Amino acid sequence: MKNIFGFGSGWRLLQDEASYKHEYLFYYLQISPSYQLAHRIIGLDEKVDEKELPKDFSKVIDTYKKLGDVYTKHFVEWWKDIGKDAFEEKKNERIWIGIDPSKSKAELLNDFQVFLNKLETKKNEPISNKVKFEVNKIRLTSLTKRHSLVLERAMFNGKNGFKKEQLWKLLKAAEYPSSRSKEVRLNSKKTAKNHEARTYLSILASKNIKQAFYIAENAARGRFPCQEPITTGLKFDFEKINAVANTYTKKAMELAIQAEKANEDYMKMISPTKSYKKIKKVDVGQMLEE
């Protein structure tokens, strides 16, 4: 459909393009302790004592069967193999299109027919057993900042060559939005003046890590984004999370280098759905060296 272009969520869905929700569901599944158990059982064929499993573990198994392994693939690879066919999408999403007026009527009609055929195929896809996103007010900012905070906590847990850092420092490092962050510097010593701010930020960090846990565990049960409190008897495995994050970063850089050499859009490997802050195009070699 090179002579027809579109915009809006309806067009993106027709092109099988992922949104930030797809991307962050993938990331939250990576950190979910329940989903990690499902991967050990199904993906790695390990035997796990039933005492380790949450009571509603059947829901996690069901999600894993739909979304599969999120640990050995980059998001772009996972999306092509599994993700693009795993979600229930809105069938009546309005699609806005434009055309290239310099093209002939025959070319435009041919491309429009291809467009209509693809639209019809999408409409007829079965949706009964697909993942459906929750409708709520959880924003991208909340998803990114809480996920980043968990990764900071995992990196600086005292077991990876880095000393264990205080929660308020992790909150600042993750650039979590709080007006009180300005009241204390990362290298400042504890004083009577900044004690209250440090305490407040530590409590805020703890609260947001807990909310990230709720989001991850609900995601493992097919509910995303959802931060309703959930009791599973599990905790974040920060050592495991850090190992997964390091492997994923290495994989992303390898794929970015391959894409750059092939003159492809390597930025998709760094920011797959452009869901992060707008970042300048980078020199992959320099970035890897750093």
Side-chain angles (χ1 to χ4, degrees), residues 30-288:
Q30 287 184 325
I31 66 175
S32 162
S34 290
Y35 206 78
Q36 289 167 1
L37 282 173
H39 180 63
R40 287 173 59 191
I41 294 171
I42 299 178
L44 302 178
D45 197 27
E46 291 183 10
K47 290 185 178 180
V48 178
D49 192 323
E50 288 190 11
K51 294 179 181 179
E52 294 184 47
L53 307 179
K55 293 180 180 179
D56 61 349
F57 193 62
S58 61
K59 294 180 180 178
V60 184
I61 292 294
D62 184 53
T63 302
Y64 191 93
K65 288 179 178 178
K66 293 175 183 178
L67 300 179
D69 179 5
V70 297
Y71 303 102
T72 60
K73 296 180 179 180
H74 185 276
F75 173 79
V76 172
E77 297 173 310
W78 173 84
W79 177 253
K80 290 178 180 178
D81 295 342
I82 299 174
K84 67 182 180 62
D85 299 315
F87 295 87
E88 177 182 334
E89 308 292 3
K90 295 179 182 178
K91 295 298 182 181
N92 298 318
E93 192 80 25
R94 184 174 291 276
I95 298 174
W96 302 92
I97 64 172
I99 62 171
D100 183 349
S102 68
K103 301 301 178 180
S104 68
K105 180 179 178 181
E107 289 177 306
L108 292 173
L109 286 175
N110 181 68
D111 274 8
F112 192 67
Q113 186 62 54
V114 173
F115 164 77
L116 291 178
N117 290 340
K118 191 165 187 179
L119 184 62
E120 190 65 23
T121 300
K122 276 286 185 183
K123 282 184 178 180
N124 294 330
E125 286 181 352
I127 62 173
S128 58
N129 197 38
K130 295 194 174 186
V131 178
K132 184 178 181 180
F133 287 123
E134 300 285 307
V135 178
N136 52 45
K137 295 182 179 180
I138 299 178
R139 298 179 299 172
L140 171 60
T141 302
S142 297
L143 294 174
T144 57
K145 294 302 182 184
R146 287 170 183 162
H147 181 261
S148 295
L149 186 57
V150 171
L151 295 189
E152 290 287 335
R153 176 69 177 83
M155 179 181 291
F156 296 99
N157 67 358
K159 297 180 181 180
N160 308 300
F162 296 98
K163 68 176 184 179
K164 188 173 182 177
E165 290 289 3
Q166 298 175 65
L167 288 178
W168 69 268
K169 287 189 176 183
L170 300 180
L171 194 83
K172 280 188 68 71
E175 297 181 349
Y176 198 91
S178 172
S179 59
R180 303 213 65 175
S181 291
K182 300 176 182 178
E183 298 178 29
V184 60
R185 299 190 310 276
L186 279 173
N187 61 350
S188 62
K189 295 182 180 180
K190 185 176 180 180
T191 65
K193 187 176 181 180
N194 64 29
H195 172 71
E196 185 179 342
R198 285 160 60 115
T199 301
Y200 173 83
L201 294 175
S202 293
I203 293 173
L204 182 62
S206 179
K207 175 183 176 182
N208 278 278
I209 289 174
K210 180 178 289 187
Q211 288 174 327
F213 176 83
Y214 293 153
I215 293 172
E217 288 295 83
N218 277 302
R221 289 155 179 77
R223 300 186 66 195
F224 184 85
C226 175
Q227 61 184 28
E228 290 181 7
I230 178 172
T231 301
T232 65
L234 302 173
K235 296 180 180 180
F236 274 140
D237 184 339
F238 290 113
E239 195 167 357
K240 172 69 173 177
I241 289 172
N242 189 66
V244 170
N246 287 339
T247 299
Y248 186 79
T249 300
K250 182 179 178 181
K251 179 78 169 177
M253 293 309 303
E254 289 173 350
L255 292 174
I257 291 171
Q258 291 174 18
E260 184 184 34
K261 289 180 179 178
N263 292 319
E264 296 173 353
D265 184 6
Y266 61 83
M267 290 298 288
K268 285 185 178 180
M269 303 301 170
I270 299 171
S271 183
T273 62
K274 299 179 181 177
S275 57
Y276 302 100
K277 293 179 180 179
K278 190 173 181 180
I279 54 178
K280 296 179 180 178
K281 211 164 188 180
V282 298
D283 182 319
V284 175
Q286 181 182 346
M287 187 176 188
L288 184 61

